[in-house]
Structure formats: structure tokens, C-alpha cells
């Protein structure tokens, strides 16, 4: 038979998925590799979804999402970002990957280059490549708190550069970009006429400092904000994400939605609408809980004198494992086999984090602390 897609055959594998698969084989493994809240979706959200199903809300919806949900998102983001947003600037789609797929599909032409942070969530690079575009990594230097400097980005820009992807607060580093960094990126975007794809999934999770939204400072409609309910409302399985962009971009996205997903799941849209309009106590509680876990994790690393990078947002910590002289995937697989602790290998996020591993503190406190202690023991054992 003729050859299947070369592009898909050559896509890089996600090191996180590899560790997840390996961890499933070890039933008592402590799971620190996945970026997923340990909480259940709050009851008021599930009840709204159940009611919607009973009411027969089980049909196709408008392609960019139900108007009531888009109105609610527009109002929520408009208020928080201090800018005017209307429902036509919103496209509600499946999970994060689908939102990126649609955005990249609408802005890229074959041969275009997309600047991708290094380190970053591995799906960015996969999505760029699967759209037939070229991923150009820009380094987020660890010694600058994983915030990019102008010199990490500007020399990489060519005539083919179409967009820059940005993620603050960051997965995997927990970095929260300063206002200065955000302004620098937007300045470059204007100077070289680039679109900005800003993934602000963790905007609610900054423990120190402030989250600066690139969309809030969008000079002329070039910023596409991607956000969603997965982490904020513990709704990873509901698969809803949204993009906020100029109407010129969202009308093209609607076109691609027709050709791909059609519309996001009807009942999940109702659930997200309930999440945003309902009581926000769960979000407030979870922020405090994540911060307590971050503080407990940091304390153990400090006590054990194991090198790590202090995170100010999201729920991830990068740990320095250079002293073990192992490839990060080898480290992660060996740690899993010996100590029954699963972590994400740094190499999957980019070249610059090959000597690191990422832990997620989406896991509950006791397991998190036990997992970190075992990991510190392992690092000391193999440290040369
Ligand atoms: N964007 C970032 C930065 C993430 O860390 C993740 C998940 O880990 C996603 C997007 C995916 O979110 P979703 O559950 O909406 O697919």
C-alpha cells in the first residue's frame, strides 16, 4: 500500500505520554508526570450538565459555540482584561489541542515559520508540524527565570516567520512573565508583523506578582488568546477550550471548525457556562491549595538541597537533574522503576531542558511530598 502521512509519522513523541503509559503498568506509582488537577469537577457544574441533558440539550450547536456561553466568556474576559470583547470574537472548540490546531490552520501557509518557546508544552511543536509549518524554538533561559529576552527571539525572525507562541504562566516552568517581557514580545510582533498565539490557560494561578495578559495589551488585533476551563474548574475530561481573537480571524476559524470538529460537545458547553457564571469558591479554594503544595514542595527541595527552579505560577516545578548525568527520559524511567514515582522528562519540552525533569503538583499533598522525597533520594543515589 502507498505510504501513510510522512508528517504524522515523523511527529515527535510526547515524553509525558510515554511516562503515563509506563506508570499505568505500576499500580502504586505516585503520579507527578501529568498536568491535571486532582479535584473532581464541582457539583454545581455537573448538575448543570445533567440538567441540560435531561432538557434535551443534546443536538448540534452553533459552529463557534452557543451564544450564551460566548456571551459569558466575552463578559468574563472583557472585565478581567479591561477590554471590549464581543461574542463574535470567540470560538469555543474541543480541548487545547483542537484550539491550537484551528488557530494554526487559519494563520499558517506551507513554509511559514512559527516561533515556539523552548521549553514548552510538547503539543505546540506537534501542532505546528502537523499543520505543515516549521517550528523554530526560542530559548527561555533558566537563568532569567525562564523568561525570554529580546536576544532570544529577534535573531530568529525571518521573512517566513508568521507567528510567535507564548505561554504565561508557563507549563512546564511555572514562570510568570513580567510586564516588560510581555511588552517586548508585542513590540517585536508589531515590528515584524507577527501574529501572537498566547496560551493563558493558567492565568488564574499566579502566586506572586501578577499575570499580564498579552491580549489585554493587543495593539491591533494580532493577538489570539487561548484559554479554557480544564485546569481552572477541574474539567480536563470535558474537552472545552476557547480562542479569543479579532473577528477577521474568528470568521476563518469558524470555516475550519465546519471542516473539522463541527462544534464542541453541546452538554460540555453548558457545563462551562455554569462554571463561569456560578460561585467561584472552588477556584479560590484550589488556588490556596496549589500554593500550599508549591510551598511544601519547595521546602523539601531546599531541605534536601536538590536543585530546582522556583515557580511563581501554574502547577509545575522544574528540577535540575544534571548531576545524575542521565538523559532525562532515562532518568524518568529509572526513577519510575526504582522508586515508583512518575515525572515528565525535561527533554520532551525542548533542547534547553534536557537536564531537567518536570513535576506537577496537581497531585494531592501527601502523595506529592512522598514522591518528592523519593525523587530526592534517587537523585542523591545517582549524583556523581
Ligand atoms: N495549554 C497548556 C499550556 C497546557 O499545559 C495544557 C495541558 O496540560 C493545555 C493547553 C491543554 O489543555 P486542554 O485540557 O484544554 O486540552
Amino acid at each position: 500500500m502507498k505510504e501513510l502521512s510522512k508528517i504524522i509519522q515523523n511527529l515527535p513523541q510526547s515524553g509525558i505520554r510515554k511516562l503515563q503509559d509506563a506508570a499505568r503498568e505500576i499500580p502504586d506509582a505516585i503520579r507527578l508526570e501529568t498536568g491535571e488537577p486532582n479535584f473532581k469537577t464541582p457539583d454545581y457544574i455537573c448538575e448543570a450538565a445533567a440538567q441540560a441533558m435531561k432538557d434535551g440539550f443534546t443536538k448540534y450547536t452553533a459552529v463557534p459555540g452557543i451564544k450564551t456561553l460566548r456571551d459569558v466568556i466575552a463578559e468574563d474576559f472583557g472585565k478581567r482584561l479591561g477590554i471590549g470583547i464581543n461574542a463574535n470574537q470567540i470560538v469555543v472548540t474541543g480541548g487545547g489541542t483542537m484550539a491550537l490546531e484551528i488557530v494554526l490552520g487559519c494563520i499558517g501557509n506551507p513554509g511559514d515559520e512559527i516561533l515556539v518557546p523552548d521549553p514548552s508544552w510538547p503539543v505546540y511543536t506537534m501542532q505546528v508540524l502537523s499543520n505543515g509549518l516549521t517550528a523554530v524554538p526560542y530559548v527561555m533561559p533558566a537563568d532569567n527565570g525562564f523568561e525570554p529576552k529580546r536576544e532570544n527571539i529577534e535573531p530568529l525572525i525571518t521573512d517566513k516567520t508568521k507567528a510567535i507562541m507564548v505561554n504565561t504562566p508557563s507549563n512546564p516552568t511555572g514562570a510568570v512573565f513580567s510586564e516588560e517581557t510581555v511588552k517586548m514580545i508585542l513590540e517585536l510582533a508589531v515590528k515584524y508583523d507577527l501574529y501572537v498565539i498566547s496560551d493563558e490557560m493558567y492565568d488564574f494561578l499566579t502566586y506572586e506578582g501578577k499575570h499580564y495578559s498579552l491580549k489585554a495589551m493587543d495593539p491591533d488585533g494580532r493577538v489570539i488568546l487561548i484559554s479554557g476551563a480544564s485546569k481552572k474548574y477541574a474539567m480536563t475530561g470535558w474537552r472545552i477550550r476557547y480562542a479569543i481573537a479579532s473577528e477577521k480571524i474568528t470568521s476563518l476559524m469558524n470555516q475550519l471548525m465546519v471542516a473539522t470538529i463541527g462544534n464542541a460537545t453541546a452538554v460540555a458547553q453548558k457545563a462551562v457556562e455554569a462554571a463561569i457564571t456560578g460561585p467561584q469558591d472552588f477556584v479560590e479554594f484550589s488556588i490556596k491549595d496549589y500554593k500550599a503544595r508549591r510551598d511544601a514542595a519547595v521546602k523539601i527541595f531546599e531541605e534536601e538541597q536538590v536543585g530546582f527552579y522556583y515557580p511563581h505560577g501554574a502547577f509545575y516545578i522544574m528540577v535540575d537533574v544534571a548531576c545524575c548525568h542521565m538523559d532525562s527520559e532515562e532518568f524518568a524511567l529509572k526513577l519510575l522503576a526504582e522508586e515508583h514515582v512518575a515525572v515528565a522528562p525535561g527533554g520532551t519540552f525542548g533542547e534547553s531542558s534536557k537536564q531537567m525533569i518536570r513535576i506537577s503538583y496537581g497531585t494531592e499533598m501527601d502523595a506529592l511530598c512522598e514522591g518528592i522525597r523519593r525523587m530526592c533520594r534517587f537523585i542523591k543515589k545517582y549524583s556523581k
Side-chain angles (χ1 to χ4, degrees), residues 35-36 94-98 100 121 124 167 169-171 199-202 226-231 235-237 239-241 315-316 358:
E36 179 160 39
T97 31
M98 199 70 217
L100 280 174
W121 189 42
Y124 295 157
N167 173 221
S170 156
N171 172 12
D199 184 347
E200 301 180 18
M201 181 66 145
Y202 301 94
I226 302 192
S227 192
S230 293
K231 317 280 171 165
M235 295 182 75
T236 44
R239 311 310 300 133
I240 295 284
R241 263 247 171 168
F315 44 55
Y316 304 103
R358 182 201 76 177

Side-chain angles (χ1 to χ4, degrees), residues 64 66-79 83-92 215 242-248 250-251 254:
I66 52 176
K67 173 77 165 41
T68 46
L69 172 57
R70 286 183 291 126
D71 279 339
V72 159
I73 296 171
E75 195 188 333
D76 179 36
F77 277 85
K79 246 191 233 150
I83 55 173
I85 302 174
N86 70 59
N88 293 336
Q89 289 173 266
I90 304 205
V91 176
V92 178
K215 187 72 191 157
Y242 17 94
I244 304 176
S246 70
E247 288 190 42
K248 194 172 165 198
T250 53
S251 63
N254 288 346

Side-chain angles (χ1 to χ4, degrees), residues 66-261:
I66 52 176
K67 173 77 165 41
T68 46
L69 172 57
R70 286 183 291 126
D71 279 339
V72 159
I73 296 171
E75 195 188 333
D76 179 36
F77 277 85
K79 246 191 233 150
R80 288 196 283 121
L81 305 188
I83 55 173
I85 302 174
N86 70 59
N88 293 336
Q89 289 173 266
I90 304 205
V91 176
V92 178
T93 179
T97 31
M98 199 70 217
L100 280 174
E101 168 80 26
I102 299 211
V103 169
L104 287 166
C106 286
I107 63 173
N109 288 313
D112 284 349
E113 295 174 357
I114 311 290
L115 292 163
V116 179
D118 175 354
S120 67
W121 189 42
V123 171
Y124 295 157
T125 300
M126 291 184 211
Q127 285 289 340
V128 170
L129 298 176
S130 69
N131 272 283
L133 309 170
T134 304
V136 178
Y138 66 92
V139 172
M140 319 252 283
D143 61 6
N144 194 43
F146 292 108
E147 283 194 58
K149 299 180 198 167
R150 182 179 277 266
E151 64 259 35
N152 299 122
I153 302 174
E154 196 162 18
L156 302 172
I157 299 173
T158 70
D159 289 349
K160 294 184 182 157
T161 313
K162 194 62 156 303
I164 178 165
M165 300 182 88
V166 182
N167 173 221
T168 177
S170 156
N171 172 12
T173 68
V176 178
F177 289 4
S178 65
E179 186 175 17
E180 204 187 342
T181 300
V182 166
K183 282 188 171 156
M184 176 274 289
I185 294 170
L186 291 172
E187 254 172 54
L188 289 177
V190 171
K191 184 171 172 189
Y192 296 99
D193 191 16
L194 310 178
Y195 291 100
V196 180
I197 303 169
S198 187
D199 184 347
E200 301 180 18
M201 181 66 145
Y202 301 94
D203 62 355
F204 68 107
L205 268 184
T206 50
Y207 311 111
E208 292 87 25
K210 179 175 175 306
H211 166 67
Y212 290 96
S213 169
L214 281 84
K215 187 72 191 157
M217 298 185 219
D218 185 354
D220 50 9
R222 66 180 62 246
V223 179
I224 300 148
L225 170 62
I226 302 192
S227 192
S230 293
K231 317 280 171 165
K232 188 170 182 178
Y233 299 103
M235 295 182 75
T236 44
W238 298 77
R239 311 310 300 133
I240 295 284
R241 263 247 171 168
Y242 17 94
I244 304 176
S246 70
E247 288 190 42
K248 194 172 165 198
I249 297 173
T250 53
S251 63
L252 208 58
M253 288 176 71
N254 288 346
Q255 186 73 14
L256 189 51
M257 287 279 289
V258 173
T260 50
I261 180 174

